Amino acid sequence: MSAQFVIFGLLAVTSVATALAMIFSRNAVHGVLFMVGNFAAVALLYVLLGSPFLAAVQILVYAGAIMVLFLFVVMLMGPEPAPLWEHIPGQRPLALLFGLLLAAGLIAAVNVEELTGVPGIMSQEVLERLGQPTALAQTLFERYLLPFEVTSLLLLIGMIGAVVLAKREKHELQAERAPREGGAE
Amino acid sequence: MIVPVSYYLVLGAILFSIGVTGVLLRRNAIMVFMSIELMLNAVNLSFVAMSRALDSLDGQVFVFFVMTVAAAEVAVGLALIVAIFRSLGSADVDDAHVLKG
Amino acid sequence: METLLWALLLVPLAGAVVNVLLGRRLPRQVAGWLASGAVALAFLIGVMATLRLLALPAEERAYVTPTLYTWALAGRFEVPVSLLFDQLAAVMVLVVTGVGFLIHVYSVGYMAHEPADYDFRRYFVYLNLFVFSMLLLVLGSNFVLLYAGWELVGLCSYLLISFWYTEPQNAAAGRKAFVVNRVGDFAFALGIFLIWSAFGSVVYADVFEAVGGVAPATLTAITLLLFVGCTGKSAQLPLYVWLPDAMAGPTPVSALIHAATMVTAGVYLIARASALFAAATSTSAIVAWVGVLTALFAATIAIVQVDIKRVLAYSTISQLGYMFLGVGVGAYTAAIFHLVTHAFFKALLFLGAGSVMHAVEHGAHHAGEHVDPQDMRQMGGLWERARWTGITFLVGAAALAGLPLTSGFFSKDEILAGAFLEGHVLLYGVGLLTAFLTATYSFRQFFLVFAGEPRSEAARHAAESPRVMLVPLAVLAVLALGAGLVLGWPPEHGIIHTWLEPAFAVAREGTKAEGGAGLSPMTLLLISSVVALAGAGLAYGAYVRKAVDPAALSVRFRPLYVLLWNRYYVDELYALLFVRPFFGLARFLADVVDKLVIDGAVNGVATVTAGAHALARRLQAGYVRVYALSMVLGALLVLGYLVYWGR
């Protein structure tokens, strides 16, 4: 039992625990924080897999930028405790059942050769060779140059879309302000 | 001794299933959205693991793209949630059933 | 020529369409004259087309228009929409449009008292539609177009018989005509199918060319099926039952459709397909026998009836029987000749009967008395009160009876002579007997209506009909009187013979056997004259001179009289044999099969659907998470398949 196994085990338990805590947390702010922990654990797993670059991106983009954005929105909407009752009959037990079945099915699929290809022995040599950011950069800017550029376009569109969606029209603003000034709020 | 790839895949499967369960269980749009991020993350983990196993960088490139798309998606998705919250006064996905045709 | 023919066909249709679309805005008289004008125009076009045909050499007088379009195309089966105009079609077109025009004009007067403008218009729309349909029937260049026209005239007939549909018995009469015709039409359709399978074409020219190459049995089957169709449309045994009831319609309709034109469609069909029928000798014999028996059968019924229109209806059946006798023995020209003259004198008689009814109704109105205007027992003495109607009716009766030199005399004699000269002495004998009966009942009718003293107040106050009705009567009377001499003299070599002979050249090949018992055509003519005069004399003796008392005779031969009075109980027999079991079956289907099986199935489907949608509704609740749940279920199924069965 090498150190790697120990670290993997710790990270696996952490990520599963935070994930479960996230989906069962009553408070959205707690959920966001559990999610950050989960992302961190996964980032560490990337390191373990020999991809420090992706680990860094994961921390920066996910745990940093995206989760902060989530936190913003949660704060903007105010705390909204999840209701205890479920009004769609059978939704809760079915959701749990389907989740378990899916997990069972996917785990079963891992050992199916057609689905996974190679069952997987990773050599140190492969890790050394592929783990470097330069190798990734080379692939990205040579073979995947066009998709890379298209992705930048996609981000731009996403940005514009977010602005358009979140922007309030002037008359909307006025309509909202008027009752607020005289209202109980 | 290196951890075999199947361990990672099993972990990815578990995380993915938790994400799915979250989507099915939670009614708060933000939580649903985060569950989806969890699913993406689980898939990313599997991608990186397979990239190692297959001795190919394509999986890692794919993860890179997934992250970018996820960033764009989150920006638009959160904007949508904010817009819905503004018009309905709630972020409950079930309250959005008034949108059905 | 092509344009002429299409115009000829479409002008009456245009008249109907214009009356449907614009009739509401026109005064009713204008609508009537518009319809009449359309038919008059069609008649003029027909005359022009005939003159063009006349300009051609005798053998080339058959014009087929280029195909306008292909109606039905399925594999080798195709129906080209094109028209055929030859000598036979020309005769039919002139009769249909000519007599049709006169009847249209008459109708303007006859229907003037129709209370609702709407009904008045409707009447003329139907009438124009009928003329169009009949022209389609006559002009079509193949069996399918003929069939289309055949069904359309049947439809118009149905619509016009039950024209006054608020009376239940009129609606029932229309239904009866429709259903009985359906039996014949079904056989006709089967005949066309068989023609196609035997000849590979439904176009006349192709079919008649290939007659020699088809097995005699097939030919017999085809012609028999076609003939069954004819017995329906042309009211022959055993499918004649609808025609007497068809008198429920307006009288001009009876004249146009149920005497002059539509009912002769069967004769036209056999004449048109003469090449087929001439090759199928056994069918021809059946046609002749059915024809002559129908003639005798209907004449015996006609002799005791008291309803003025019913007598004419049975006489129509009887005369149609003569025509079938003609085509059956191969005397096609004579049959068509009789068709033409019959169209004149029977239209005349029907219109005259309408005029009589008009007069009696007027009298009944005047006398404040309610009488059945069709009951001849309530009439009598109308000669003084409706002179013009009387004169024209007398001409019609004489032509029907076949008194010498009238039109019916020549054409009927020619059919009988044809039968005799072809060696069918028995057919000739029955035909002659029928001719005697015909003369008797036609003059019985005339004397009952016009001679003697009025037998009711209504008849005493009867008044002449308006001029718009009398003019067509006069024209038809001239035609009924003179057409025979002009067209048919000398026998076998008149205008109509030289005109029509080429059309039947194929059918007449080799059948011109010089049989007979050595009697010359002139002798036969003489015999016919004597017989007709004898029949008329008997009627005179019985109903004017009272030398023979008909009432005493009816008591003496009571069983026979009752049998005839009740029309051989054929309607009752059919009711027992066909109608009752049919209604029983219908009731069974309605009460048991429909309610339990069909409704059960429908309700079952509804219940299952309701249950299913109660389930499905949950999937469409608008809750995103429910959709997600179903998505996951789908993913699980795929995954399960891949993991456990996909190895």
Side-chain angles (χ1 to χ4, degrees), chain C residues 129-220:
Chain C
L129 188 64
F130 169 76
V131 173
F132 160 75
S133 316
M134 193 69 203
L135 288 175
L136 178 67
L137 191 162
V138 169
L139 286 171
S141 74
N142 57 59
F143 282 102
V144 176
L145 280 187
L146 187 147
Y147 187 74
W150 187 275
E151 290 294 337
L152 276 172
V153 292
L155 169 73
C156 294
S157 158
Y158 163 74
L159 289 172
L160 284 164
I161 291 171
S162 44
F163 181 74
W164 289 305
Y165 51 81
T166 45
E167 295 292 322
Q169 77 262 29
N170 293 353
R175 203 163 56 226
K176 185 172 177 183
F178 202 76
V179 170
V180 173
N181 266 303
R182 202 107 313 277
V183 178
D185 294 352
F186 183 64
F188 186 16
L190 288 182
I192 295 176
F193 298 159
L194 203 54
I195 285 175
W196 187 75
S197 73
F199 294 93
S201 169
V202 291
V203 178
Y204 295 143
D206 303 346
V207 172
F208 300 152
E209 241 170 48
V211 169
V214 172
T218 317
L219 270 181
T220 306

Side-chain angles (χ1 to χ4, degrees), chain A residues 53 129-130 132-146 148, chain B residues 57-58 61:
Chain A
F53 173 70
R129 186 154 53 77
L130 294 182
Q132 306 307 317
T134 43
L136 187 63
Q138 244 163 13
T139 322
L140 203 55
F141 292 117
E142 282 168 5
R143 211 171 142 200
Y144 292 98
L145 184 60
L146 183 65
F148 182 78
Chain B
L57 269 175
D58 292 350
V61 173

Side-chain angles (χ1 to χ4, degrees), chain B residues 27-90:
Chain B
R27 294 169 61 183
N28 187 322
I30 305 267
M31 302 304 286
V32 170
F33 213 174
M34 281 203 291
S35 302
I36 292 171
E37 294 302 323
L38 185 60
M39 285 156 71
L40 285 172
N41 222 38
V43 173
N44 280 352
L45 184 62
S46 309
F47 265 126
V48 177
M50 290 306 289
S51 157
R52 292 285 163 242
L54 298 175
D55 192 4
S56 154
L57 269 175
D58 292 350
Q60 295 193 34
V61 173
F62 220 104
V63 170
F64 182 79
F65 284 130
V66 168
M67 281 179 182
T68 2
V69 171
E73 176 220 337
V74 164
V76 176
L78 284 177
L80 275 172
I81 289 172
V82 168
I84 290 173
F85 177 74
R86 245 191 247 149
S87 59
L88 291 180
S90 147

Side-chain angles (χ1 to χ4, degrees), chain C residues 68 90 101 127 129 143 182 245 288 296 368 371 407 423 426 445-446 451 456 461 559 573 603 616 629:
Chain C
L68 192 63
F101 168 64
L127 226 50
L129 188 64
F143 282 102
R182 202 107 313 277
D245 287 18
L296 179 65
V371 295
S407 61
L426 201 52
Q445 181 176 33
F446 176 75
S456 71
H461 292 96
L573 184 70
N603 291 339
L629 202 66

Side-chain angles (χ1 to χ4, degrees), chain A residues 12-134:
Chain A
V13 169
T14 313
S15 61
V16 170
T18 50
L20 284 173
M22 187 276 285
I23 66 162
F24 288 116
S25 66
R26 302 280 304 280
N27 191 321
V29 180
H30 297 170
V32 173
L33 291 177
F34 282 127
M35 201 63 197
V36 173
N38 181 270
F39 283 145
V42 173
L44 287 175
L45 280 172
Y46 289 165
V47 176
L48 200 61
L49 279 165
S51 299
F53 173 70
L54 280 181
V57 172
Q58 170 93 354
I59 295 289
L60 281 175
V61 174
Y62 263 121
I66 293 181
M67 289 331 282
V68 167
L69 204 56
F70 266 99
L71 211 53
F72 260 127
V73 175
V74 170
M75 292 304 187
L76 185 75
M77 294 193 297
E80 195 189 19
L84 285 172
W85 46 273
E86 174 63 65
H87 63 114
I88 306 175
Q91 179 79 12
R92 228 169 241 185
L94 274 179
L96 292 171
L97 176 69
F98 282 7
L100 283 175
L101 281 175
L102 194 65
L106 288 174
I107 291 168
V110 167
N111 282 326
V112 176
E113 293 209 10
E114 292 94 315
L115 292 183
T116 53
V118 185
I121 305 258
M122 290 193 292
S123 65
Q124 199 62 44
E125 182 266 326
V126 171
L127 281 181
E128 304 270 301
R129 186 154 53 77
L130 294 182
Q132 306 307 317
T134 43

